[in-house]
Amino acid sequence: MLNLIFVFAIIISFVFYFYFKTKQFRSPLPIAKNWYKSKANIGFGSFILFFGLNQAYLFPGLYTFIIVTILVVLGIFVIIENTKKVRHYGQFVEEELRINQ
C-alpha cells in the first residue's frame, strides 16, 4: 500500500514538472519563464524525494539507505530553494504581464 502511495506521488510530481516545464518554454516573458522554471524544479525535487523514499521502502539495506539519504537531502534542498525563487518571482509576474500586454 505504501509503495502505491509513493508511485502515485512520483507520477504526480513528474506531471507537475512536465506541465510547468512546458509552460516555461511557451512563455515569452523572462520573469514568467524563471517563475515557471522554479515551479518545475519543485516538481523535480519532489520527484527525487519520493523516488528516494520509495527505494528505501522497496530495498532496505545499508547502501540503499546511504544513497536514499543523499537523494532525500538533495530533494528537500531543491524544493526549499525553488520555493524561495517562486515567491520572489511571483511578486513580479503580474506586473510583467500587465506591462507587456
Side-chain angles (χ1 to χ4, degrees), residues 19-80:
Y19 174 75
F20 284 113
K21 203 58 152 168
T22 305
K23 297 278 277 183
Q24 174 194 350
F25 287 128
R26 299 183 96 193
S27 176
L29 306 173
I31 294 175
K33 273 186 183 280
N34 288 335
W35 188 53
Y36 288 130
K37 179 181 176 184
S38 299
K39 284 186 166 195
N41 285 339
I42 290 172
F44 183 67
S46 63
F47 174 80
I48 293 171
L49 175 70
F50 290 128
F51 180 78
L53 293 174
N54 190 33
Q55 294 304 307
Y57 178 73
L58 291 176
F59 307 108
L62 178 64
Y63 295 120
T64 305
F65 285 129
I66 292 170
I67 293 171
V68 164
T69 303
I70 294 169
L71 288 175
V72 167
V73 168
L74 180 65
I76 291 171
F77 177 75
V78 168
I79 291 170
I80 290 171

Side-chain angles (χ1 to χ4, degrees), residues 17 32 82:
Y17 170 77
N82 284 291

